[in-house]
Amino acid sequence: SGPIRMSDPLLAARMRSNAGSFGLNSSRSQALLGLEQNLSATGNDLTSDLAELFGRFAELVESPKDLNTREATLATARDLAGTIRRHDSELNRSRTDANARIRDLASDANTLAVDLARLNKMIQTSQDPILQDKRDFTALKLSEIVGGSSRIDPDGHMRFVMDSGAVLVDGNLASTLETTPDAALGNLYKLELVHGNTRHDITTSVDGGKIGGELKFRDTDSVASISALDQLAFDLATKFNAGHRANFALDGATTTVNFFNEPLVVAGAAAAFDLDAAITAERISLGGVAGAPGDNTGGITLLAQRDDATLAGGGTRTYFDESIQ
């Protein structure tokens, strides 16, 4: 006489819960994979460029007076600086890309929330099993985007609750997810749940769904990578400069010239990483004693930084352990 619906409320609730976990992990994984591919597409590998720079200094130790080798060393150092800046740019761009995806996902979630509220209203007047299937499917897709949890109350309405405890759908009423630029986040979006005049900031409390995955990538994963790259740039510049300033240039006189720009703070060190404006081929300082233009003992000390496990990561690892692949 018509369609018959067979369902299990417990299994349906578990499916919605798992959809939230799947959404979070899949979106976070895709964001990380996309970042890895984009970093590789920049054309230079940071670890290889670091190894190339120290390789050039190994050549200089063998031929400290060779101007061609000195010029090649500066060119290699410029390539490394360019790679660090490009990596920093790509990492920051990945945050803004995730930010845009959060905005789009919030819009998709709002459409589904309205649909869920509409289906709740329709089911109140008709127990059509097809409508009930549509409601379950809509709630499943909503969970995949925002996480949260849902249940069917004794009155037959499905109630959808965010991880923060704020209600997104209650009967035939749907709240709205809004994305608003926030100065505290560097003008990236904060996520708010809005119902009438009431607003709840849920940016840090979304623990599921694709939005949760994008938020974790934007505010945790990419931030940690940017911080690690800044630390590497800061450590490399300051430690290498300190060793370089202690040496003597090709004319046998001390130069006190930095090899790289000297950063004042860790934050932003990668974006500003470059050779010092005063460094030239002749001013690359390799001598360990004054008045000995061909001396290389200072260069040997600089080369030893390659394997020093107390220079990078705030003094806990080598430059290569710290580098972002």
Side-chain angles (χ1 to χ4, degrees), residues 227-291:
S227 177
L229 186 61
D230 277 340
Q231 186 69 60
L232 172 64
F234 181 86
D235 290 339
L236 179 61
T238 56
K239 303 297 174 55
F240 204 86
N241 284 347
H244 190 262
R245 289 194 303 266
N247 294 337
F248 298 89
L250 187 57
D251 60 3
T254 184
T255 63
T256 66
V257 171
N258 287 325
F259 190 82
F260 296 111
N261 275 347
E262 182 83 1
L264 299 178
V265 294
V266 174
F273 192 87
D274 205 348
L275 271 65
D276 189 89
I279 192 68
T280 63
E282 292 80 1
R283 286 185 167 183
I284 296 177
S285 301
L286 304 173
V289 294

Side-chain angles (χ1 to χ4, degrees), residues 67-214:
L67 283 177
N68 289 331
T69 303
R70 285 171 170 267
E71 292 288 358
T73 300
L74 290 181
T76 298
R78 290 191 188 97
D79 288 343
L80 170 61
T83 297
I84 289 176
R85 293 195 302 272
R86 283 191 295 272
H87 275 52
D88 179 77
S89 177
E90 192 59 47
L91 285 167
N92 281 282
R93 188 169 73 85
S94 74
R95 295 194 75 204
T96 59
D97 288 347
N99 196 54
R101 292 192 294 269
I102 291 167
R103 176 199 59 209
D104 295 341
L105 286 168
S107 177
D108 294 342
N110 288 334
T111 299
L112 289 170
V114 170
D115 288 345
L116 186 58
R118 178 179 55 82
L119 287 166
N120 269 334
K121 185 175 181 179
M122 294 171 68
I123 290 171
Q124 277 297 105
T125 58
S126 171
Q127 292 300 310
D128 185 345
I130 294 177
L131 291 177
Q132 294 180 54
D133 273 356
K134 286 184 177 179
R135 182 173 67 178
D136 277 2
F137 180 75
T138 300
L140 187 68
K141 299 303 290 183
L142 186 56
S143 294
E144 188 175 340
I145 293 177
V146 302
S149 61
S150 57
R151 70 170 189 268
I152 298 176
D153 289 335
D155 61 5
H157 281 155
M158 179 176 284
R159 198 166 188 259
F160 197 101
V161 182
M162 298 291 292
D163 295 315
S164 64
V167 179
L168 180 58
V169 179
D170 192 5
N172 59 1
L173 299 176
S175 298
T176 304
L177 294 177
E178 289 189 7
T179 51
T180 309
D182 186 1
L185 295 172
N187 285 328
L188 298 177
Y189 295 130
K190 65 179 177 181
L191 184 66
E192 294 181 302
L193 189 142
V194 181
H195 183 74
N197 295 324
T198 304
R199 310 178 74 91
H200 297 282
D201 187 344
I202 60 174
T203 309
T204 60
S205 61
V206 180
D207 293 325
K210 292 181 179 179
I211 288 182
E214 295 291 357

Side-chain angles (χ1 to χ4, degrees), residues 40-59:
S40 299
T42 60
N44 294 83
D45 175 76
L46 182 53
T47 303
S48 298
D49 283 1
L50 274 168
E52 181 72 13
L53 177 64
F54 282 107
R56 290 295 186 189
F57 269 90
E59 294 174 7

